[in-house]
Amino acid sequence: MINENKLPKLKEEYRWNLLKQQFDLDPSNVMYKEIKESLNRILHYVYSYTDIKFIDFIDEKVLYGYIKYHISINFSIVDFMQVLKDIKNFIFFLEHIKNRKAIPKVDFSTSNVRLWLRL
């Protein structure tokens, strides 16, 4: 019988392992070195600040939240350009490594006034 006090911890451990597995990247992949750290930072953000269990549910709102998070901590982990690169690397990972069809439509152009006003 599972102790009910341990159940939330088991659920979170399961969620972490599930997410981590989806973010896995084969070390022999040519892009491994370039995008591994970006994927790790996004993984930690998704785990810590959302309740998402599957990468297919990471959408534009979550990725824009990733930017807002780094703004809120004054870019103490990585700078603004690296945050944008992390998102681009994640999108590359989804599209070219995971071969997903539904890719978040993230627009970093200066014409995306709605994004820049929200940040």
Side-chain angles (χ1 to χ4, degrees):
M1 185 119 214
I2 295 177
N3 180 343
E4 287 189 29
N5 293 334
K6 291 184 179 182
L7 197 55
K9 185 177 179 183
L10 286 174
K11 284 182 180 179
E12 283 305 303
E13 189 175 310
Y14 171 76
R15 182 172 161 258
W16 169 256
N17 289 331
L18 185 61
L19 277 170
K20 191 171 181 328
Q21 184 180 28
Q22 294 171 73
F23 275 82
D24 251 359
L25 181 61
D26 181 1
S28 66
N29 186 298
V30 175
M31 296 300 295
Y32 181 82
K33 191 173 184 178
E34 169 121 9
I35 67 175
K36 185 62 179 167
E37 288 181 19
S38 293
L39 293 178
N40 281 338
R41 283 189 289 271
I42 291 180
L43 167 63
H44 284 279
Y45 170 78
V46 168
Y47 176 75
S48 300
Y49 297 98
T50 74
D51 59 357
I52 291 173
K53 292 182 180 110
F54 301 101
I55 62 172
D56 292 331
F57 294 110
I58 298 173
D59 60 7
E60 299 86 1
K61 185 177 177 183
V62 173
L63 296 176
Y64 291 145
Y66 180 72
I67 299 170
K68 285 183 178 181
Y69 163 73
H70 283 283
I71 290 170
S72 74
I73 61 168
N74 296 315
F75 298 100
S76 60
I77 299 170
V78 291
D79 64 26
F80 178 71
M81 294 306 292
Q82 184 60 53
V83 170
L84 298 183
K85 191 171 184 178
D86 286 352
I87 293 171
K88 289 178 182 181
N89 285 338
F90 176 70
I91 290 170
F92 176 89
F93 172 74
L94 289 177
E95 191 170 11
H96 299 285
I97 297 171
K98 290 290 188 173
N99 297 314
R100 299 286 198 234
K101 300 294 182 227
I103 306 297
K105 304 285 188 265
V106 179
D107 179 10
F108 294 132
S109 71
T110 54
S111 62
N112 187 357
V113 176
R114 287 182 39 198
L115 166 66
W116 301 116
L117 290 177
R118 283 188 295 180
L119 300 177

